[in-house]
Amino acid sequence: DAGVIQSPRHEVTEMGQEVTLRCKPISGHDYLFWYRQTMMRGLELLIYFNNNVPIDDSGMPEDRFSAKMPNASFSTLKIQPSEPRDSAVYFCASSSFRGTRQPQHFGDGTRLSIL
Amino acid sequence: KQEVTQIPAALSVPEGENLVLNCSFTDSAIYNLQWFRQDPGKGLTSLLLIQSSQREQTSGRLNASLDKSSGRSTLYIAASQPGDSATYLCAVSPNTGGFKTIFGAGTRLFVKA
């Protein structure tokens, strides 16, 4: 059973460039989450979707960040324009509701470095 | 605003020792609490999930307890092994606000062979 798949695993780009992170959730999961992890702030929820619809984007830091989920098997997190302070590890996770909220399953993350 | 604190920040123990990791949260109105493990360069792996109505959950050598009224949870690891070395994170999901999850900073565990 494939887990959550994220790409790319590593991304190094220059300030001002557009960055697109991709995520494929576990099949059958109807919740998808985007997190950011840094040494200073720990793990922060950026946005989550239910049935492809954004439910809570209050964690998205600025308008430079946007996320989409065009279908149940794919989501993107885009940063445009990117800045050095966006450097972090970005995780995607998916989950489901089966009478109760089920555990979240995480991908291995994308390590983003903005020069 | 919900805050999650984990103590200690780091812990080093000899192999075979039993140990306890602590997690505290400021708002007791939670839906559930989860313990995760994170290995270097990897994502998080869910270890145990405790619903707000439960007091504890067990999986193998791991036992997690929840005292919602006092805002505390503990993760007990029995007979620790070098393979247990990782960062352990506690996370709470509030009663309201849907699936939103707030994480602690984690406890970095090192088990010496």
Side-chain angles (χ1 to χ4, degrees), chain A:
Chain A
D1 189 17
V4 175
I5 300 172
Q6 291 187 245
S7 65
R9 287 299 313 278
H10 304 274
E11 174 89 14
V12 181
T13 192
E14 292 188 347
M15 181 175 64
Q17 296 298 306
E18 178 179 289
V19 173
T20 300
L21 311 181
R22 297 173 175 79
C23 175
K24 177 179 170 56
I26 291 174
S27 177
H29 283 190
D30 48 5
Y31 285 86
L32 183 139
F33 308 82
W34 282 101
Y35 291 92
R36 179 172 67 176
Q37 187 175 41
T38 62
M39 289 292 293
M40 290 296 295
R41 300 175 65 90
L43 197 62
E44 303 172 283
L45 177 66
L46 301 177
I47 185 172
Y48 79 89
F49 295 81
N50 177 220
N51 290 323
N52 314 335
V53 176
I55 302 300
D56 188 334
D57 65 355
S58 60
M60 296 286 263
E62 299 171 35
D63 291 346
R64 298 184 295 107
F65 286 69
S66 63
K68 294 182 179 179
M69 192 164 186
N71 57 63
S73 59
F74 183 66
S75 177
T76 60
L77 178 67
K78 188 172 293 187
I79 309 173
Q80 166 63 19
S82 58
E83 297 182 5
R85 59 193 169 117
D86 301 330
S87 298
V89 181
Y90 290 81
F91 288 103
C92 176
S94 70
S95 183
S96 60
F97 185 85
R98 300 284 183 264
T100 62
R101 300 174 199 166
Q102 298 302 300
Q104 295 182 32
H105 296 258
F106 281 72
D108 283 341
T110 294
R111 185 173 295 274
L112 178 63
S113 296
I114 309 297
L115 306 176

Side-chain angles (χ1 to χ4, degrees), chain B residues 5 10 12 14 44 54 67 77 82 99 108-109:
Chain B
T5 303
S12 181
L44 282 68
Q54 298 174 323
D67 184 342
I77 302 177
F99 253 81
R108 186 175 296 179
L109 173 66

